[in-house]
């Protein structure tokens, strides 16, 4: 048995689970995350800490709720933050019915990220948590998380005949444009559309 398989079995014993899907639920991650551990042959250290807490408290996501992935990288709502890693750090629990029926999205396509900066204020305040629906591209104007030239940003994107207009809701920041040529010649990728946000008052 590989070392990674032994570690997963150890996690199952700690959380008193038998299947990967049950382990994922206990640790508040997606089953795909467990598969990624096996592929990379590495499990983040905080997962063992979480498993120990589950073993001590019996804290498992209640039925009807789902733990959404929360990535520890901050998405910039200012001038952009360099992408260094996108490791999951923890999770937040939401009603599955709320996500599926109220918001209208598949929970498997949703993840959470913190943002920093004030360029999207008042829509998104500094240190807000945004819920992002993964998409391959975009067909309507809206607020999106995207990667541009090695930076991860959240901005309002608008279609133009010749490209995309990038708009900040804070009027202190000027809008800028990306032509179709710019989009083809640079590192540009739509990560997902912002569909919900949570923030302190």
């Amino acid at each position: 048995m590989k070392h990674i398989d032994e570690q997963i079995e150890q996690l199952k014993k700690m959380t008193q689970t038998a299947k990967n899907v049950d382990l994922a639920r206990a640790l508040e991650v997606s089953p795909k995350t467990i598969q990624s551990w096996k592929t990379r042959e590495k499990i983040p250290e905080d997962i063992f800490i979480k498993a120990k807490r589950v073993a001590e408290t019996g804290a498992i996501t209640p039925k009807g709720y789902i733990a959404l992935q929360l990535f520890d990288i901050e998405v910039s709502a200012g001038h952009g933050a360099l992408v260094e890693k996108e490791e999951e750090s923890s999770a937040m629990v939401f009603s599955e019915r709320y996500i599926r029926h109220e918001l209208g999205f598949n929970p498997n396509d949703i993840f959470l990220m913190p943002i920093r900066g004030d360029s999207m204020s008042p829509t998104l305040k500094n240190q807000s948590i945004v819920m992002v629906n993964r998409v391959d591209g975009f067909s309507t104007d809206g607020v999106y998380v995207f990667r541009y030239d090695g930076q991860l940003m959240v901005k309002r994107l608008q279609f133009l005949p010749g490209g995309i207009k990038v708009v900040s809701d804070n009027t202190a920041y000027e809008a800028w444009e990306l032509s179709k040529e710019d989009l083809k010649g640079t590192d540009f990728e739509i990560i997902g559309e912002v569909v919900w946000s949570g923030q302190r008052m």
Side-chain angles (χ1 to χ4, degrees):
M1 182 181 289
K2 290 184 178 180
H3 180 61
I4 186 65
D5 293 325
E6 292 176 351
Q7 288 185 313
I8 291 175
E9 286 303 313
Q10 180 185 352
L11 290 173
K12 288 179 179 178
K13 288 180 180 179
M14 294 173 68
T15 56
Q16 297 183 8
T17 55
K19 299 179 181 178
N20 284 355
V21 65
D22 296 325
L23 176 62
R25 183 172 171 230
L27 295 176
E28 299 181 339
V29 299
S30 72
K32 290 182 180 179
T33 298
I34 295 178
Q35 188 59 45
S36 72
W37 296 342
K38 298 181 74 171
T39 301
R40 293 181 298 177
E41 296 189 353
K42 183 180 180 181
I43 300 175
E45 291 183 11
D46 65 324
I47 291 297
F48 289 95
I49 297 173
K50 185 182 290 186
K52 184 178 179 181
R53 186 174 71 244
V54 171
E56 293 173 348
T57 64
I60 298 177
T61 305
K63 186 176 181 180
Y65 288 78
I66 189 167
L68 297 180
Q69 297 167 301
L70 174 63
F71 289 87
D72 64 6
I73 188 166
E74 291 184 331
V75 184
S76 177
H79 293 290
L82 182 65
V83 179
E84 295 180 349
K85 59 180 180 177
E86 295 182 10
E87 294 288 338
E88 295 171 53
S89 60
S90 56
M92 295 177 65
V93 178
F94 285 78
S95 164
E96 184 173 359
R97 179 179 177 81
Y98 175 73
I99 294 174
R100 290 188 183 277
H101 300 288
E102 298 298 325
L103 297 180
F105 298 105
N106 184 338
N108 294 327
D109 296 330
I110 296 287
F111 65 92
L112 303 169
M113 300 182 93
I115 67 167
R116 63 173 178 156
D118 64 351
S119 75
M120 288 302 291
S121 178
T123 306
L124 300 173
K125 296 179 181 178
N126 185 33
Q127 298 183 354
S128 298
I129 298 293
V130 293
M131 183 184 292
V132 183
N133 181 48
R134 291 184 180 89
V135 292
D136 294 329
F138 71 103
S139 57
T140 59
D141 296 348
V143 179
Y144 289 84
V145 173
F146 62 97
R147 184 173 10 249
Y148 173 64
D149 197 21
Q151 298 178 345
L152 201 62
M153 304 183 198
V154 56
K155 300 285 184 185
R156 192 174 298 279
L157 301 183
Q158 297 178 353
F159 275 118
L160 295 175
I164 295 173
K165 186 175 184 179
V166 183
V167 180
S168 299
D169 286 3
N170 186 339
T171 56
Y173 293 79
E174 293 186 6
W176 44 286
E177 296 181 8
L178 287 169
S179 67
K180 291 181 179 178
E181 290 72 23
D182 291 333
L183 296 176
K184 292 179 181 178
T186 58
D187 172 28
F188 179 82
E189 180 187 6
I190 296 289
I191 305 298
E193 182 180 8
V194 175
V195 296
W196 178 94
S197 70
Q199 55 199 19
R200 294 181 180 179
M201 297 299 292

